[in-house]
Amino acid sequence: MDLMELFFISVGATVIVFYGVKLLLFSRMLFPKMWFPLSKSFFTSMGEWAVVTGASEGIGRAYAFALAEQGMNIVIMSRTKVALDQVAKEISDTTGQRVKVIVTDFIRDNVFSEIEDQLQDFNIGVLVNNVGILPSFVPCRFLEFAELDQTITKVINCNVKTMAKMCKIILPGMENRRKGLILNVSSGVASVPFPLYTLYAASKVFVERFSQGLQAEYKDKGILIQAVAPFGVSTRMADYIPTNIVTLSPEDFVKSSLQYVRAGDKTHGSVCHIVLGWLLQSIPSKVLYAEYMLHSLQDYVKNKAALRASNATFENGKNK
């Protein structure tokens, strides 16, 4: 056997081993209960309280309920007091857990000193940084946003600054106790540069990189920090699109995502979204960013939004 033949055999073997390992790692995500098992006391062992931002509806509300069902007391935070009070009552009546309401608007600049004061005596074991804003459900180019300067500030304050500030407030207590769980909600669109949702997608890239860097810094302290990057979830931000095999209800998504908290510093949170993430990253960029594809996406979302608005108007007319 000459050297050239040996070289090609070695390269082939290396490729087979590489992709075999990747396939094994991917297959683990299909069976989270087997590969990443959690004890019944996992969440309560982290601490007495869980803090959830953006908890008045959607994914945040689902996390608050799910963690209360695990036996944790819950701090829920959002800007709408009426909605928070209703969620607090439902959680308390359903689970018997204590619920504290903090009304705050994360778009504003100077809200965190007051939040820190209200949380200073709490034994916080879980933080879910869920709050976020999507500047426009209908995709559009960066310069087409109305009031662009204000939009930039709102997205940075809500999607970027709030997460970092909440970690600054809560992480020291976790470090002192050498245990804790932080879930930072990103988005599947952060998997690749995403035209027409550029500002939103870029803000969610920060969520992922911040979470992954923070996990590397604090994993030896017994703290789990994970970016959760869902694709389709039927929430107000997604215009309540109907659920199907890839678009999950907030409750189903959260139930699934909590099975992956020990699966690494990033997860898409469900099997179907993990497959979607793989497919999205497999599409050549020339195809993904072609002008035809961008126009098609824009037209599709506009038509879906118009159809839902029309149906809503028709239903309201029937009910009068």
Side-chain angles (χ1 to χ4, degrees):
M1 183 182 297
D2 60 22
L3 287 176
M4 187 60 70
E5 186 179 356
L6 183 61
F7 170 76
F8 282 116
I9 290 174
S10 299
V11 169
T14 301
V15 170
I16 291 171
V17 170
F18 174 77
Y19 282 102
V21 170
K22 289 197 73 170
L23 182 61
L24 176 62
L25 293 175
F26 179 80
S27 68
R28 295 195 311 162
M29 300 302 166
L30 305 179
F31 308 100
K33 288 184 178 180
M34 180 175 71
W35 287 99
F36 315 111
L38 300 176
S39 67
K40 290 184 178 180
S41 62
F42 173 82
F43 293 101
T44 53
S45 71
M46 295 293 174
E48 185 181 359
W49 288 84
V51 174
V52 184
T53 67
S56 60
E57 59 180 318
I59 292 175
R61 179 182 181 276
Y63 269 117
F65 264 93
L67 292 169
E69 288 169 352
Q70 293 292 328
M72 303 196 76
N73 299 319
I74 311 294
V75 179
I76 53 176
M77 305 172 68
S78 183
R79 63 179 177 178
T80 311
K81 186 177 188 305
V82 173
L84 284 176
D85 287 342
Q86 179 63 34
V87 172
K89 183 177 186 306
E90 291 172 0
I91 291 175
S92 181
D93 291 347
T94 303
T95 68
Q97 298 301 123
R98 287 183 288 165
V99 184
K100 178 178 175 60
V101 168
I102 297 180
V103 180
T104 188
D105 186 352
F106 290 111
I107 291 174
R108 291 167 42 219
D109 287 323
N110 302 310
V111 299
F112 297 100
S113 59
E114 181 180 344
I115 291 171
E116 187 168 13
D117 289 342
Q118 294 196 57
L119 294 178
Q120 62 180 350
D121 296 324
F122 285 69
N123 175 9
I124 297 169
V126 177
L127 167 64
V128 181
N129 278 311
N130 165 73
V131 70
I133 60 170
L134 175 66
S136 173
F137 173 67
V138 176
C140 66
R141 298 178 190 275
F142 178 64
L143 295 178
E144 293 173 359
F145 283 111
E147 301 180 334
L148 180 57
D149 284 335
Q150 293 93 321
T151 298
I152 292 170
T153 299
K154 288 178 180 178
V155 170
I156 291 175
N157 280 357
C158 195
N159 297 8
V160 174
K161 180 180 177 181
T162 291
M163 179 191 61
K165 285 283 195 177
M166 290 302 298
C167 288
K168 175 183 177 291
I169 291 170
I170 292 174
L171 190 56
M174 293 180 172
E175 183 180 24
N176 289 338
R177 294 190 305 274
R178 300 189 68 84
K179 58 184 177 179
L181 170 66
I182 297 176
L183 301 176
N184 295 324
V185 179
S186 178
S187 170
V189 302
S191 301
V192 296
F194 215 96
L196 305 183
Y197 289 109
T198 298
L199 185 60
Y200 175 77
S203 73
K204 293 302 185 177
V205 172
F206 179 90
V207 173
E208 290 189 8
R209 295 297 177 266
F210 181 84
S211 303
Q212 292 168 324
L214 214 59
Q215 175 66 119
E217 292 175 12
Y218 288 93
K219 63 183 178 182
D220 291 339
K221 305 289 187 179
I223 302 168
L224 294 175
I225 302 168
Q226 183 183 69
V228 182
F231 282 92
V233 181
S234 183
T235 64
R236 180 164 59 89
M237 185 181 288
D239 200 34
Y240 298 110
I241 52 179
T243 58
N244 51 46
I245 192 171
V246 295
T247 302
L248 307 179
S249 70
E251 293 75 20
D252 286 343
F253 173 75
V254 166
K255 181 180 178 181
S256 173
S257 71
L258 288 177
Q259 297 175 9
Y260 288 92
V261 295
R262 295 182 61 246
D265 58 18
K266 177 186 173 181
T267 179
H268 288 296
S270 73
V271 171
C272 59
H273 290 188
I274 290 168
V275 173
L276 277 176
W278 177 79
L279 288 174
L280 184 63
Q281 291 178 309
S282 301
I283 299 173
S285 59
K286 286 185 178 181
V287 174
L288 195 62
Y289 306 146
E291 197 68 23
Y292 170 77
M293 291 291 289
L294 299 183
H295 280 301
S296 297
L297 173 64
Q298 209 164 25
D299 291 342
Y300 174 79
V301 177
K302 282 181 179 178
N303 292 336
K304 294 289 284 187
L307 180 61
R308 285 192 61 78
S310 176
N311 290 339
T313 301
F314 176 73
E315 290 296 326
N316 289 336
K318 282 175 58 180
N319 294 330
K320 284 184 179 178

